[in-house]
Coordinates of all heavy atoms in Angstrom, one line a residue:
M7 N -4.7 -37.3 16.6 CA -5.7 -38.3 16.6 C -5.5 -39.3 15.5 O -5.6 -40.5 15.7 CB -7.0 -37.6 16.4 CG -8.2 -38.5 16.4 SD -9.7 -37.5 16.5 CE -10.9 -38.8 16.6
F8 N -5.3 -38.8 14.3 CA -5.1 -39.8 13.2 C -3.6 -39.9 13.0 O -2.9 -38.9 12.9 CB -5.7 -39.3 11.9 CG -7.2 -39.3 12.0 CD1 -7.9 -38.1 12.2 CD2 -7.9 -40.5 12.0 CE1 -9.3 -38.1 12.3 CE2 -9.3 -40.5 12.1 CZ -10.0 -39.3 12.2
T9 N -3.2 -41.1 12.9 CA -1.8 -41.4 12.6 C -1.7 -42.3 11.3 O -2.6 -43.0 11.0 CB -1.0 -42.1 13.7 OG1 -1.7 -43.4 13.9 CG2 -1.1 -41.3 15.0
S10 N -0.6 -42.1 10.7 CA -0.4 -43.0 9.5 C -0.1 -44.4 9.9 O 0.6 -44.6 10.9 CB 0.6 -42.4 8.5 OG 1.9 -42.4 9.2
R11 N -0.6 -45.3 9.1 CA -0.3 -46.7 9.4 C 1.1 -47.1 8.9 O 1.6 -46.6 7.9 CB -1.3 -47.6 8.6 CG -2.6 -47.6 9.1 CD -3.5 -48.5 8.4 NE -4.8 -48.6 9.0 CZ -5.8 -49.4 8.5 NH1 -5.5 -50.1 7.4 NH2 -6.9 -49.4 9.0
P12 N 1.8 -47.9 9.6 CA 3.1 -48.4 9.1 C 2.9 -49.3 7.9 O 1.8 -49.8 7.7 CB 3.6 -49.2 10.3 CG 2.4 -49.6 11.1 CD 1.4 -48.5 10.9
E13 N 3.9 -49.3 7.1 CA 3.8 -50.2 5.9 C 3.5 -51.6 6.3 O 4.2 -52.2 7.1 CB 5.1 -50.1 5.1 CG 5.2 -51.0 3.9 CD 4.1 -50.6 2.9 OE1 4.1 -49.4 2.5 OE2 3.4 -51.5 2.4
T14 N 2.4 -52.2 5.9 CA 2.0 -53.5 6.3 C 2.4 -54.6 5.3 O 2.3 -55.8 5.7 CB 0.5 -53.6 6.5 OG1 -0.2 -53.2 5.3 CG2 0.1 -52.7 7.7
R15 N 2.7 -54.2 4.1 CA 3.1 -55.2 3.2 C 4.5 -55.8 3.5 O 5.4 -55.0 3.9 CB 3.2 -54.7 1.7 CG 1.8 -54.6 1.2 CD 1.8 -54.2 -0.2 NE 2.1 -52.8 -0.3 CZ 2.5 -52.1 -1.4 NH1 2.6 -52.8 -2.5 NH2 2.8 -50.9 -1.4
P16 N 4.7 -57.1 3.4 CA 6.1 -57.6 3.8 C 7.1 -57.3 2.7 O 6.7 -57.0 1.5 CB 5.8 -59.1 3.8 CG 4.7 -59.3 3.0 CD 3.8 -58.1 3.1
A17 N 8.3 -57.2 3.1 CA 9.4 -57.1 2.1 C 9.4 -58.3 1.1 O 9.0 -59.4 1.5 CB 10.7 -56.9 2.8
T18 N 9.8 -58.0 -0.1 CA 9.8 -59.1 -1.0 C 11.2 -59.3 -1.6 O 12.0 -58.4 -1.5 CB 8.8 -58.9 -2.2 OG1 9.2 -57.7 -2.9 CG2 7.4 -58.8 -1.7
V19 N 11.4 -60.5 -2.1 CA 12.7 -60.8 -2.8 C 12.4 -61.3 -4.2 O 11.3 -61.9 -4.4 CB 13.6 -61.7 -2.0 CG1 14.0 -61.2 -0.7 CG2 12.9 -63.1 -1.8
E20 N 13.3 -61.1 -5.1 CA 13.1 -61.6 -6.4 C 13.8 -63.0 -6.6 O 15.0 -63.1 -6.2 CB 13.7 -60.7 -7.5 CG 13.4 -61.2 -8.9 CD 13.9 -60.2 -9.9 OE1 15.1 -60.0 -10.0 OE2 13.1 -59.7 -10.7
V21 N 13.0 -64.0 -7.0 CA 13.6 -65.3 -7.3 C 13.2 -65.7 -8.7 O 12.4 -65.0 -9.3 CB 13.0 -66.4 -6.3 CG1 13.4 -66.0 -4.9 CG2 11.5 -66.5 -6.4
F22 N 13.8 -66.8 -9.2 CA 13.5 -67.2 -10.6 C 12.9 -68.6 -10.5 O 13.6 -69.5 -10.0 CB 14.7 -67.2 -11.4 CG 15.2 -65.8 -11.6 CD1 16.1 -65.3 -10.7 CD2 14.8 -64.9 -12.6 CE1 16.6 -64.0 -10.8 CE2 15.2 -63.6 -12.7 CZ 16.2 -63.1 -11.8
V23 N 11.7 -68.8 -11.0 CA 11.1 -70.2 -11.0 C 11.1 -70.6 -12.5 O 10.4 -70.0 -13.3 CB 9.7 -70.2 -10.4 CG1 9.1 -71.6 -10.5 CG2 9.7 -69.7 -8.9
D24 N 11.9 -71.6 -12.8 CA 12.1 -72.1 -14.1 C 12.5 -70.9 -15.0 O 12.0 -70.7 -16.2 CB 10.9 -72.8 -14.7 CG 10.8 -74.2 -14.2 OD1 11.9 -74.8 -13.8 OD2 9.7 -74.8 -14.1
G25 N 13.3 -70.0 -14.5 CA 13.8 -68.9 -15.3 C 12.9 -67.6 -15.3 O 13.3 -66.6 -15.9
V26 N 11.7 -67.7 -14.8 CA 10.8 -66.6 -14.8 C 10.9 -65.9 -13.4 O 10.8 -66.5 -12.4 CB 9.3 -67.1 -15.0 CG1 8.4 -65.9 -14.9 CG2 9.2 -67.9 -16.3
A27 N 11.2 -64.6 -13.5 CA 11.3 -63.8 -12.3 C 10.0 -63.6 -11.6 O 8.9 -63.5 -12.2 CB 11.8 -62.4 -12.7
L28 N 10.1 -63.6 -10.3 CA 8.9 -63.6 -9.4 C 9.3 -63.0 -8.1 O 10.3 -63.2 -7.6 CB 8.4 -65.0 -9.2 CG 7.2 -65.3 -8.3 CD1 5.9 -64.8 -9.0 CD2 7.1 -66.7 -7.9
R29 N 8.4 -62.1 -7.6 CA 8.7 -61.5 -6.3 C 7.8 -62.2 -5.3 O 6.6 -62.4 -5.4 CB 8.3 -60.0 -6.3 CG 9.2 -59.2 -7.2 CD 9.3 -57.8 -6.8 NE 10.1 -57.6 -5.6 CZ 11.5 -57.5 -5.6 NH1 12.2 -57.6 -6.7 NH2 12.1 -57.3 -4.4
V30 N 8.5 -62.7 -4.2 CA 7.8 -63.4 -3.1 C 8.1 -62.8 -1.8 O 9.2 -62.1 -1.6 CB 8.2 -64.9 -3.1 CG1 7.8 -65.6 -4.5 CG2 9.7 -65.1 -2.9
P31 N 7.3 -63.0 -0.8 CA 7.5 -62.4 0.5 C 8.8 -62.9 1.1 O 9.1 -64.1 1.0 CB 6.3 -62.8 1.4 CG 5.3 -63.1 0.4 CD 5.9 -63.6 -0.8
E32 N 9.6 -62.0 1.7 CA 10.8 -62.4 2.4 C 10.4 -63.5 3.5 O 9.4 -63.3 4.2 CB 11.4 -61.2 3.1 CG 12.8 -61.3 3.5 CD 13.2 -59.9 4.0 OE1 12.8 -59.5 5.1 OE2 14.0 -59.3 3.4
G33 N 11.2 -64.5 3.6 CA 11.0 -65.6 4.6 C 10.1 -66.7 4.1 O 10.0 -67.7 4.7
A34 N 9.5 -66.5 2.9 CA 8.7 -67.6 2.3 C 9.7 -68.8 1.9 O 10.9 -68.6 1.7 CB 7.9 -67.1 1.1
S35 N 9.1 -69.9 1.7 CA 10.0 -71.0 1.3 C 10.0 -71.1 -0.3 O 9.2 -70.5 -0.9 CB 9.4 -72.4 1.8 OG 8.2 -72.6 1.2
A36 N 11.0 -71.8 -0.8 CA 11.1 -72.0 -2.2 C 9.9 -72.7 -2.7 O 9.4 -72.5 -3.8 CB 12.4 -72.8 -2.5
A37 N 9.3 -73.6 -2.0 CA 8.1 -74.3 -2.4 C 6.9 -73.4 -2.5 O 6.1 -73.4 -3.4 CB 7.7 -75.4 -1.4
A38 N 6.8 -72.4 -1.6 CA 5.8 -71.4 -1.6 C 6.0 -70.6 -2.9 O 5.0 -70.2 -3.5 CB 5.8 -70.5 -0.4
A39 N 7.2 -70.3 -3.3 CA 7.5 -69.5 -4.5 C 7.0 -70.2 -5.7 O 6.4 -69.7 -6.6 CB 9.0 -69.2 -4.6
V40 N 7.2 -71.6 -5.7 CA 6.7 -72.4 -6.9 C 5.1 -72.3 -6.9 O 4.6 -72.2 -8.0 CB 7.2 -73.8 -6.7 CG1 6.5 -74.7 -7.8 CG2 8.7 -73.8 -6.9
L41 N 4.5 -72.4 -5.7 CA 3.0 -72.3 -5.7 C 2.6 -71.0 -6.2 O 1.6 -70.8 -6.9 CB 2.5 -72.7 -4.3 CG 2.8 -74.1 -3.9 CD1 2.4 -74.3 -2.4 CD2 2.0 -75.1 -4.7
L42 N 3.3 -69.9 -5.7 CA 2.9 -68.6 -6.1 C 3.1 -68.3 -7.6 O 2.4 -67.6 -8.2 CB 3.7 -67.5 -5.3 CG 3.3 -67.3 -3.9 CD1 4.3 -66.5 -3.2 CD2 1.9 -66.7 -3.8
A43 N 4.0 -69.1 -8.2 CA 4.3 -69.0 -9.6 C 3.2 -69.6 -10.4 O 3.1 -69.4 -11.6 CB 5.6 -69.6 -10.0
G44 N 2.4 -70.4 -9.8 CA 1.3 -71.1 -10.5 C 1.8 -72.3 -11.3 O 1.1 -72.7 -12.3
A45 N 2.9 -72.8 -10.9 CA 3.4 -74.0 -11.7 C 2.5 -75.2 -11.5 O 1.9 -75.4 -10.5 CB 4.8 -74.3 -11.2
G46 N 2.4 -75.9 -12.6 CA 1.5 -77.1 -12.5 C 2.1 -78.3 -11.7 O 1.4 -79.1 -11.2
A47 N 3.4 -78.3 -11.6 CA 4.1 -79.3 -10.8 C 5.5 -78.8 -10.5 O 6.0 -78.0 -11.2 CB 4.2 -80.6 -11.6
I48 N 6.0 -79.3 -9.4 CA 7.4 -79.0 -9.0 C 8.4 -80.1 -9.4 O 9.5 -79.9 -9.6 CB 7.5 -78.7 -7.5 CG1 8.9 -78.0 -7.2 CG2 7.3 -79.9 -6.7 CD1 9.0 -77.4 -5.8
R49 N 7.8 -81.3 -9.5 CA 8.6 -82.4 -10.0 C 7.8 -83.5 -10.6 O 6.5 -83.4 -10.5 CB 9.4 -83.1 -8.8 CG 8.5 -83.8 -7.8 CD 9.3 -84.4 -6.7 NE 8.5 -85.3 -5.8 CZ 8.5 -86.6 -5.9 NH1 9.2 -87.2 -6.8 NH2 7.7 -87.3 -5.1
A50 N 8.4 -84.4 -11.3 CA 7.7 -85.6 -11.8 C 8.4 -86.8 -11.2 O 9.6 -86.9 -11.0 CB 7.9 -85.6 -13.3
T51 N 7.5 -87.8 -10.8 CA 8.0 -88.9 -10.1 C 9.0 -89.8 -11.0 O 8.7 -89.8 -12.2 CB 6.9 -89.8 -9.6 OG1 6.1 -90.2 -10.7 CG2 6.0 -89.1 -8.6
P52 N 10.0 -90.4 -10.4 CA 10.9 -91.2 -11.3 C 10.3 -92.4 -12.0 O 10.7 -92.7 -13.1 CB 12.0 -91.7 -10.2 CG 11.8 -90.8 -9.1 CD 10.4 -90.3 -9.0
V53 N 9.3 -93.0 -11.4 CA 8.7 -94.3 -12.0 C 7.7 -94.0 -13.0 O 7.8 -94.4 -14.2 CB 8.2 -95.2 -10.9 CG1 7.5 -96.4 -11.5 CG2 9.3 -95.6 -9.9
S54 N 6.6 -93.2 -12.7 CA 5.5 -93.0 -13.6 C 5.5 -91.7 -14.3 O 4.8 -91.4 -15.2 CB 4.2 -93.2 -12.8 OG 4.0 -92.1 -11.9
G55 N 6.3 -90.7 -13.7 CA 6.4 -89.4 -14.3 C 5.2 -88.6 -13.9 O 4.9 -87.5 -14.4
A56 N 4.5 -89.0 -12.8 CA 3.3 -88.3 -12.3 C 3.7 -87.0 -11.8 O 4.7 -86.9 -11.1 CB 2.6 -89.1 -11.3
P57 N 3.0 -85.9 -12.1 CA 3.3 -84.6 -11.5 C 3.1 -84.5 -10.0 O 2.1 -85.1 -9.5 CB 2.4 -83.6 -12.3 CG 1.2 -84.5 -12.7 CD 1.7 -85.9 -12.9
R58 N 3.9 -83.7 -9.4 CA 3.7 -83.5 -7.9 C 3.9 -82.0 -7.6 O 4.7 -81.3 -8.2 CB 4.8 -84.3 -7.1 CG 4.6 -85.8 -7.2 CD 3.4 -86.2 -6.4 NE 3.3 -87.6 -6.2 CZ 2.5 -88.4 -7.0 NH1 1.8 -87.8 -7.9 NH2 2.4 -89.7 -6.8
L59 N 3.1 -81.6 -6.6 CA 3.3 -80.3 -6.1 C 3.6 -80.4 -4.6 O 3.3 -81.4 -4.0 CB 1.9 -79.5 -6.2 CG 1.7 -78.8 -7.6 CD1 0.3 -78.3 -7.6 CD2 2.7 -77.7 -7.8
P60 N 4.2 -79.4 -4.0 CA 4.4 -79.4 -2.5 C 3.0 -79.7 -1.8 O 2.0 -79.2 -2.2 CB 4.8 -78.0 -2.2 CG 5.4 -77.5 -3.5 CD 4.6 -78.1 -4.6
Y61 N 3.1 -80.5 -0.8 CA 1.9 -81.0 -0.2 C 1.8 -80.6 1.3 O 1.0 -79.9 1.8 CB 1.7 -82.5 -0.3 CG 0.5 -83.1 0.3 CD1 -0.8 -82.7 -0.2 CD2 0.5 -83.9 1.4 CE1 -1.9 -83.2 0.4 CE2 -0.6 -84.5 1.9 CZ -1.8 -84.1 1.4 OH -3.0 -84.6 2.0
C62 N 2.8 -81.1 2.1 CA 2.7 -80.9 3.5 C 3.3 -79.5 4.0 O 3.0 -79.0 5.0 CB 3.4 -82.0 4.3 SG 5.2 -82.0 4.1
M63 N 4.3 -79.0 3.2 CA 5.0 -77.8 3.5 C 5.7 -77.8 4.9 O 5.9 -76.7 5.5 CB 4.0 -76.6 3.5 CG 3.4 -76.4 2.1 SD 4.5 -76.0 0.8 CE 4.8 -74.3 1.0
M64 N 6.0 -79.0 5.3 CA 6.8 -79.1 6.6 C 7.8 -80.2 6.6 O 8.2 -80.7 7.7 CB 5.8 -79.2 7.8 CG 4.9 -80.4 7.8 SD 3.8 -80.3 9.2 CE 3.0 -81.9 9.0
G65 N 8.3 -80.6 5.5 CA 9.4 -81.5 5.4 C 9.1 -83.0 5.6 O 10.0 -83.8 5.9
I66 N 7.8 -83.4 5.4 CA 7.4 -84.8 5.7 C 7.3 -85.6 4.4 O 7.7 -86.7 4.2 CB 6.1 -84.9 6.5 CG1 6.3 -84.1 7.8 CG2 5.7 -86.3 6.7 CD1 7.2 -84.7 8.8
C67 N 6.6 -85.0 3.4 CA 6.2 -85.8 2.2 C 7.2 -85.9 1.1 O 7.1 -86.8 0.2 CB 4.9 -85.2 1.7 SG 5.0 -83.7 0.8
F68 N 8.1 -85.1 1.0 CA 9.1 -85.0 -0.1 C 8.5 -84.8 -1.5 O 9.1 -85.2 -2.5 CB 10.0 -86.3 0.0 CG 11.0 -86.3 1.1 CD1 10.6 -86.6 2.4 CD2 12.3 -86.0 0.9 CE1 11.4 -86.6 3.4 CE2 13.2 -86.0 2.0 CZ 12.8 -86.3 3.2
D69 N 7.3 -84.3 -1.6 CA 6.8 -84.0 -2.9 C 7.2 -82.7 -3.4 O 6.8 -82.3 -4.5 CB 5.2 -84.0 -2.8 CG 4.7 -85.4 -3.0 OD1 5.4 -86.3 -3.6 OD2 3.5 -85.7 -2.6
C70 N 8.1 -82.0 -2.7 CA 8.6 -80.7 -3.2 C 10.0 -80.7 -3.6 O 10.6 -79.7 -3.8 CB 8.4 -79.7 -2.0 SG 9.5 -80.1 -0.6
L71 N 10.6 -81.9 -3.9 CA 12.0 -81.9 -4.4 C 12.1 -81.1 -5.6 O 11.4 -81.2 -6.6 CB 12.4 -83.4 -4.6 CG 12.4 -84.3 -3.4 CD1 12.9 -85.7 -3.7 CD2 13.2 -83.7 -2.3
A72 N 13.1 -80.3 -5.6 CA 13.4 -79.4 -6.7 C 14.9 -79.1 -6.8 O 15.7 -79.4 -5.9 CB 12.6 -78.1 -6.6
E73 N 15.3 -78.5 -7.9 CA 16.7 -78.0 -8.1 C 16.7 -76.6 -7.6 O 16.0 -75.7 -8.2 CB 17.1 -78.2 -9.5 CG 18.6 -77.9 -9.7 CD 19.1 -78.2 -11.1 OE1 18.8 -79.2 -11.6 OE2 19.7 -77.3 -11.7
I74 N 17.5 -76.3 -6.6 CA 17.6 -75.0 -6.1 C 19.1 -74.5 -6.2 O 20.0 -75.1 -5.6 CB 17.1 -74.9 -4.6 CG1 15.7 -75.3 -4.6 CG2 17.4 -73.5 -4.1 CD1 15.1 -75.3 -3.2
D75 N 19.3 -73.5 -6.9 CA 20.6 -72.9 -7.2 C 21.6 -74.0 -7.6 O 22.7 -74.1 -7.1 CB 21.2 -72.2 -6.0 CG 20.5 -70.9 -5.7 OD1 19.9 -70.3 -6.7 OD2 20.5 -70.4 -4.6
G76 N 21.1 -74.9 -8.5 CA 22.0 -75.9 -9.1 C 22.1 -77.2 -8.3 O 22.7 -78.2 -8.7
V77 N 21.5 -77.3 -7.1 CA 21.5 -78.5 -6.3 C 20.2 -79.2 -6.4 O 19.1 -78.7 -6.0 CB 21.8 -78.1 -4.8 CG1 21.8 -79.3 -3.9 CG2 23.1 -77.3 -4.7
A78 N 20.3 -80.4 -6.9 CA 19.1 -81.2 -7.1 C 18.6 -81.8 -5.8 O 19.3 -81.9 -4.8 CB 19.3 -82.3 -8.1
N79 N 17.4 -82.3 -5.8 CA 16.7 -83.0 -4.7 C 16.7 -82.1 -3.4 O 16.7 -82.7 -2.3 CB 17.5 -84.3 -4.4 CG 17.3 -85.3 -5.5 OD1 16.2 -85.4 -6.1 ND2 18.3 -86.1 -5.8
A80 N 16.6 -80.9 -3.6 CA 16.4 -80.0 -2.4 C 15.0 -80.0 -2.0 O 14.1 -80.0 -2.8 CB 16.9 -78.6 -2.7
Q81 N 14.8 -80.1 -0.7 CA 13.4 -80.1 -0.1 C 13.0 -78.6 -0.1 O 13.2 -77.9 0.8 CB 13.4 -80.6 1.3 CG 12.6 -81.9 1.4 CD 12.6 -82.4 2.8 OE1 13.7 -82.4 3.5 NE2 11.5 -82.8 3.3
A82 N 12.3 -78.2 -1.1 CA 11.9 -76.8 -1.4 C 11.1 -76.2 -0.2 O 11.3 -75.0 0.0 CB 11.2 -76.6 -2.7
C83 N 10.4 -77.0 0.5 CA 9.6 -76.4 1.6 C 10.4 -76.0 2.8 O 9.9 -75.3 3.7 CB 8.4 -77.3 2.0 SG 8.9 -78.8 2.8
M84 N 11.6 -76.5 2.8 CA 12.5 -76.3 4.0 C 13.6 -75.2 3.7 O 14.4 -75.0 4.5 CB 13.1 -77.6 4.4 CG 12.1 -78.7 4.8 SD 10.9 -78.2 6.0 CE 11.9 -78.2 7.5
V85 N 13.5 -74.7 2.5 CA 14.6 -73.7 2.1 C 13.9 -72.3 1.9 O 13.1 -72.1 1.1 CB 15.2 -74.2 0.7 CG1 16.2 -73.2 0.3 CG2 15.8 -75.6 0.8
P86 N 14.3 -71.4 2.8 CA 13.8 -70.0 2.6 C 14.4 -69.4 1.4 O 15.5 -69.6 1.0 CB 14.3 -69.3 3.9 CG 15.4 -70.1 4.4 CD 15.3 -71.5 3.9
V87 N 13.5 -68.5 0.7 CA 14.0 -67.9 -0.5 C 15.1 -66.9 -0.1 O 15.2 -66.4 1.0 CB 12.8 -67.1 -1.2 CG1 11.8 -68.1 -1.7 CG2 12.2 -66.1 -0.3
A88 N 15.9 -66.6 -1.1 CA 17.0 -65.7 -1.0 C 17.0 -64.9 -2.3 O 16.6 -65.4 -3.4 CB 18.4 -66.3 -0.8
P89 N 17.5 -63.6 -2.3 CA 17.5 -62.8 -3.5 C 18.3 -63.5 -4.6 O 19.4 -64.0 -4.4 CB 18.2 -61.5 -3.1 CG 17.9 -61.5 -1.6 CD 17.9 -62.9 -1.1
G90 N 17.6 -63.6 -5.8 CA 18.3 -64.2 -6.9 C 18.2 -65.7 -7.0 O 18.8 -66.3 -7.9
M91 N 17.6 -66.4 -6.0 CA 17.5 -67.8 -6.0 C 16.9 -68.4 -7.3 O 16.0 -67.8 -7.8 CB 16.7 -68.3 -4.8 CG 16.5 -69.8 -4.7 SD 15.5 -70.2 -3.2 CE 16.8 -70.3 -2.0
R92 N 17.5 -69.4 -7.8 CA 17.0 -70.1 -9.0 C 16.4 -71.4 -8.6 O 17.1 -72.3 -8.1 CB 18.1 -70.2 -10.0 CG 18.6 -68.9 -10.5 CD 19.5 -69.0 -11.7 NE 19.8 -67.6 -12.2 CZ 19.0 -66.9 -13.0 NH1 17.8 -67.4 -13.4 NH2 19.3 -65.7 -13.3
I93 N 15.1 -71.6 -8.8 CA 14.4 -72.8 -8.5 C 13.9 -73.4 -9.8 O 13.3 -72.7 -10.6 CB 13.1 -72.4 -7.6 CG1 13.6 -71.6 -6.4 CG2 12.4 -73.7 -7.2 CD1 12.4 -70.9 -5.7
S94 N 14.3 -74.7 -10.0 CA 13.9 -75.3 -11.2 C 13.1 -76.6 -10.9 O 13.5 -77.3 -9.9 CB 15.1 -75.7 -12.0 OG 15.8 -74.5 -12.4
R95 N 12.1 -76.9 -11.6 CA 11.4 -78.2 -11.5 C 12.3 -79.3 -11.9 O 13.2 -79.1 -12.8 CB 10.1 -78.2 -12.3 CG 9.1 -77.2 -11.7 CD 7.9 -77.2 -12.5 NE 8.0 -76.4 -13.6 CZ 7.1 -76.3 -14.6 NH1 6.0 -76.9 -14.5 NH2 7.3 -75.5 -15.6
Q96 N 12.2 -80.5 -11.4 CA 13.0 -81.6 -11.8 C 12.1 -82.8 -12.2 O 11.0 -83.0 -11.6 CB 14.0 -82.0 -10.8 CG 13.4 -82.5 -9.5 CD 14.6 -82.9 -8.5 OE1 15.6 -82.2 -8.4 NE2 14.4 -84.0 -7.8
A97 N 12.5 -83.5 -13.2 CA 11.8 -84.7 -13.7 C 12.6 -85.9 -13.4 O 13.8 -86.0 -13.8 CB 11.5 -84.5 -15.2
G98 N 12.0 -86.9 -12.8 CA 12.6 -88.1 -12.6 C 13.7 -88.1 -11.5 O 13.7 -87.1 -10.7
A99 N 14.5 -89.2 -11.4 CA 15.4 -89.3 -10.3 C 16.7 -88.5 -10.6 O 17.0 -88.3 -11.8 CB 15.8 -90.8 -10.2
R100 N 17.3 -88.0 -9.6 CA 18.6 -87.3 -9.7 C 19.7 -88.1 -9.0 O 19.4 -88.9 -8.1 CB 18.5 -85.9 -9.1 CG 17.6 -85.0 -9.9 CD 18.3 -84.6 -11.2 NE 17.7 -83.5 -11.8 CZ 16.7 -83.6 -12.7 NH1 16.2 -84.8 -13.1 NH2 16.2 -82.5 -13.3
D101 N 20.9 -87.9 -9.4 CA 22.0 -88.6 -8.8 C 22.2 -87.9 -7.4 O 22.6 -86.7 -7.4 CB 23.3 -88.5 -9.7 CG 24.5 -89.2 -9.1 OD1 24.3 -89.7 -8.0 OD2 25.5 -89.1 -9.7
A102 N 22.0 -88.6 -6.4 CA 22.1 -88.0 -5.0 C 23.5 -87.6 -4.7 O 23.7 -86.8 -3.8 CB 21.6 -89.0 -4.0
L103 N 24.5 -88.2 -5.3 CA 25.9 -87.9 -5.0 C 26.5 -86.9 -6.0 O 27.6 -86.5 -5.8 CB 26.7 -89.2 -5.1 CG 26.3 -90.3 -4.1 CD1 27.1 -91.5 -4.3 CD2 26.4 -89.8 -2.7
A104 N 25.7 -86.4 -6.9 CA 26.2 -85.4 -7.9 C 26.9 -84.2 -7.2 O 27.9 -83.8 -7.7 CB 25.1 -85.0 -8.8
P105 N 26.3 -83.6 -6.1 CA 27.0 -82.5 -5.5 C 28.3 -82.8 -5.0 O 29.2 -81.9 -4.8 CB 26.0 -82.0 -4.4 CG 24.7 -82.7 -4.7 CD 25.0 -83.9 -5.5
F106 N 28.6 -84.0 -4.8 CA 29.9 -84.4 -4.2 C 30.9 -85.0 -5.2 O 31.9 -85.5 -4.8 CB 29.7 -85.4 -3.0 CG 28.7 -84.9 -2.0 CD1 27.4 -85.5 -2.0 CD2 29.0 -84.0 -1.1 CE1 26.4 -85.0 -1.1 CE2 28.0 -83.5 -0.2 CZ 26.8 -84.0 -0.2
A107 N 30.5 -85.0 -6.5 CA 31.3 -85.7 -7.5 C 32.6 -85.0 -7.6 O 33.6 -85.7 -7.8 CB 30.5 -85.6 -8.8
E108 N 32.7 -83.7 -7.5 CA 34.0 -83.0 -7.6 C 34.9 -83.4 -6.4 O 36.1 -83.5 -6.6 CB 33.8 -81.5 -7.6 CG 33.6 -81.0 -9.0 CD 33.6 -79.5 -9.0 OE1 34.3 -78.8 -8.2 OE2 33.0 -78.9 -9.9
D109 N 34.3 -83.6 -5.3 CA 35.1 -84.0 -4.1 C 35.8 -85.4 -4.3 O 36.9 -85.7 -3.7 CB 34.3 -84.1 -2.9 CG 33.7 -82.7 -2.5 OD1 34.3 -81.7 -3.0 OD2 32.8 -82.6 -1.7
A110 N 35.2 -86.3 -5.1 CA 35.7 -87.6 -5.3 C 36.9 -87.6 -6.2 O 37.6 -88.6 -6.3 CB 34.6 -88.5 -5.8
R111 N 37.2 -86.5 -6.9 CA 38.3 -86.5 -7.9 C 39.6 -86.4 -7.2 O 39.8 -85.9 -6.2 CB 38.1 -85.4 -8.9 CG 37.0 -85.6 -9.8 CD 36.9 -84.5 -10.8 NE 35.6 -84.5 -11.4 CZ 35.1 -83.6 -12.1 NH1 35.8 -82.5 -12.3 NH2 33.9 -83.7 -12.7
Ligands
LIG212 S1 6.1 -80.2 0.8 FE1 6.2 -82.0 1.9 S2 8.3 -82.3 2.3 FE2 8.2 -80.4 1.3

């Protein structure tokens, strides 16, 4: 008559938001990890330095640009978390071609 319930909590993975370890549900986005971390901003705008947080969570607004595993300007809401992922807030503009700089040599 009574059966035990299956484990209902989702599996979690450990990521690092600005160097601070955090466990987030598997399948969550990097932007969601930043929000779960309680960060005040994920980026600062290049012109005024105004703080921004992820807004649309579906790839439209670009307010979630962050550095993910060393790659700047990543759309954090479109990147699923992976174990050990390092997510860093970014301030101002980044060189869009920086990831390809080694290829140009
Ligand atoms: S939160 Fe809008 S593009 Fe990522």
Side-chain angles (χ1 to χ4, degrees):
M7 179 169 186
F8 295 103
T9 60
S10 63
R11 290 183 174 178
E13 179 61 52
T14 56
R15 283 186 285 166
T18 60
V19 296
E20 184 179 60
V21 299
F22 299 89
V23 177
D24 282 337
V26 177
L28 175 74
R29 294 206 73 84
V30 297
E32 197 176 69
S35 68
V40 170
L41 293 172
L42 285 170
I48 192 170
R49 71 179 185 103
T51 59
V53 176
S54 69
R58 291 287 187 263
L59 276 171
Y61 181 66
C62 71
M63 300 297 279
M64 59 183 186
I66 304 295
C67 72
F68 286 79
D69 272 341
C70 63
L71 296 180
E73 185 176 312
I74 298 176
D75 288 338
V77 177
N79 292 321
Q81 244 180 318
C83 70
M84 304 304 288
V85 178
V87 292
M91 176 180 276
R92 297 193 173 275
I93 306 160
S94 301
R95 291 181 278 177
Q96 64 180 41
R100 290 292 194 266
D101 181 1
L103 300 177
F106 307 104
E108 274 189 25
D109 295 342
R111 291 183 196 166

